[in-house]
Amino acid sequence: MTIVKAIILGIVQGLTEFLPVSSSGHLSVAQHLLNTPEDKILFLTVMLHLGTLISIFFVYSSDIFLICKEFILMIFDVFKGKGFRINNDHRKLGVLIIVATIPTGLMGIFFKDIFEGFYRSQLIIGISLIITGTLLWTAERIHSGKRNIKQMNWVDALIVGIFQGFAITPGISRSGSTIVGSLFRGFNKELATKFSFLISIPSIGGAVLLETKDVITHGAGDISFSILFAGILASFIAGVLAIRALINFIKKEKLYYFSYYTWTIGSVIVVLNLVR
C-alpha cells in the first residue's frame, strides 16, 4: 500500500459513494486493479468510509444540527409529559430517518453473508450495475412528484429504507437506490436528494462500526498514518464534490446520464467474465 494507491482508492470511494454508480462495485474493481490484498485494505476501507461520512456532515451541517436539536427537544417533551410531538419539518425528518434505517439494518443483519458472497463474483457486480442504470433511467423518465416533507409518511420511509437495503449488493448504488425509491414515492427532487443523503448517515456509520469490528479481529495491517490521512482526505474532498454534483444533476433532470455509464461499465464487466 502506498500514498498514491490510498489517494486513488479515496477518490473512487468518495465519488462513487454518492454518485449513483455503486461504491462497493467500483471499490472492489479498483482494489483488484491496484492489486491490494484484503488484509492490507480492510482498515483503510473503514477510514475511507469515515471520510465520506464526514463529507455528508460538511454539506448538510445546518440540517443535521436542526434534526439533532429537534430530536433532543422531542425527547424532553416526552419526559415532560407532553407526548410524542412531531410539530415541525426537522423533527419529522429525524423520526423518518430512524424509520428508514430499520429495514436497511434488518436486511444487513439477516442477509449479510449472502450479500458478502456476491463480492467474489465480478459477473454479479456487472449485472447489478446494469440494474442500477435501468432503475435510474426509469425513475428519471416517469418522475413527476411534488410531495414535500409535510406530505411524507412512515410508509414512504420504510420503502426507501428497503431500497437502501438492496444496495448491500455490490454494483447496486446506495444513493441511486434511495433516490429512485424516493422518486417512485412521488417526492420532489430536493426532498429525494436530501433524504437519500441523510439516511446514509446511520447506514455508513453502521458499516464503519461493523468493519471496525472486523479490523479488531483481523488486525489493522501495516498501513502508516500518512497513508490513512491521504486516503481519508481524498475520500472527504471527493465526497463533497460528488454530493454537490449529484444535487446539480438532479435539479437539471440529468440523472439518467449515469444510466449510460453504469450500463456501459456493467456490460463490459459481464462480457469480460463470460469470455473468460
Side-chain angles (χ1 to χ4, degrees), residues 36-219:
T36 52
E38 187 173 343
D39 62 329
K40 301 293 184 184
I41 197 66
L42 185 58
F43 185 52
L44 178 61
T45 300
V46 176
M47 294 298 102
L48 295 184
H49 278 90
L50 182 61
T52 54
L53 187 61
I54 295 171
S55 66
I56 303 174
F57 280 90
F58 180 82
V59 175
Y60 285 100
S61 57
S62 59
D63 282 299
I64 293 170
F65 172 77
L66 290 173
I67 288 170
C68 292
K69 173 188 172 184
E70 290 300 328
F71 187 80
I72 293 171
L73 291 175
M74 183 176 64
I75 299 300
F76 283 157
D77 284 345
V78 173
F79 281 113
K80 290 177 181 178
K82 296 180 180 179
F84 191 70
R85 299 195 304 171
I86 303 177
N87 51 15
N88 61 65
D89 288 355
H90 283 94
R91 188 173 292 197
K92 183 175 183 179
L93 200 54
V95 172
L96 292 178
I97 288 171
I98 294 173
V99 173
T101 302
I102 294 172
T104 303
L106 291 175
M107 292 172 73
I109 292 170
F110 290 107
F111 301 107
K112 182 174 181 288
D113 292 339
I114 296 174
F115 287 118
E116 281 185 347
F118 293 160
Y119 281 83
R120 293 187 287 271
S121 172
Q122 295 292 309
L123 180 60
I124 290 178
I125 292 175
I127 293 173
S128 298
L129 284 165
I130 294 172
I131 292 173
T132 291
T134 303
L135 288 172
L136 291 171
W137 190 89
T138 304
E140 185 72 87
R141 293 302 182 186
I142 70 171
H143 175 258
S144 59
K146 299 185 184 301
R147 295 175 65 202
N148 56 34
I149 183 63
K150 288 183 174 63
Q151 298 165 313
M152 189 179 173
N153 57 53
W154 66 270
V155 176
D156 297 321
L158 280 178
I159 291 175
V160 176
I162 291 171
F163 269 84
Q164 180 170 245
F166 286 127
I168 302 172
T169 306
I172 298 294
S173 165
R174 192 214 59 79
S175 62
S177 295
T178 51
I179 289 173
V180 165
S182 298
L183 294 179
F184 281 158
R185 295 301 295 172
F187 295 4
N188 64 50
K189 291 191 173 183
E190 180 184 358
L191 176 58
T193 309
K194 180 183 291 187
F195 193 65
S196 170
F197 288 132
L198 291 177
I199 66 173
S200 73
I201 293 175
S203 176
I204 298 174
V208 169
L209 290 176
L210 288 174
E211 290 167 354
T212 301
K213 178 183 175 183
D214 291 336
V215 168
I216 294 172
T217 302
H218 299 100

Side-chain angles (χ1 to χ4, degrees), residues 242-272:
I243 291 172
R244 289 178 172 166
L246 185 58
I247 292 171
N248 192 46
F249 269 100
I250 294 175
K251 283 182 178 178
K252 294 182 178 180
E253 300 186 348
K254 307 289 187 183
L255 187 63
Y256 68 92
Y257 279 15
F258 295 101
S259 299
Y260 302 131
Y261 173 78
T262 53
W263 281 336
T264 300
I265 192 170
S267 298
V268 169
I269 293 173
V270 169
V271 170
L272 289 176

Side-chain angles (χ1 to χ4, degrees), residues 13-43:
Q13 168 63 26
L15 291 178
T16 60
E17 180 67 49
F18 301 117
L19 296 180
V21 295
S22 173
S23 63
S24 55
H26 281 74
L27 199 59
S28 176
V29 172
Q31 290 170 8
H32 177 74
L33 293 175
L34 293 173
N35 192 29
T36 52
E38 187 173 343
D39 62 329
K40 301 293 184 184
I41 197 66
L42 185 58
F43 185 52

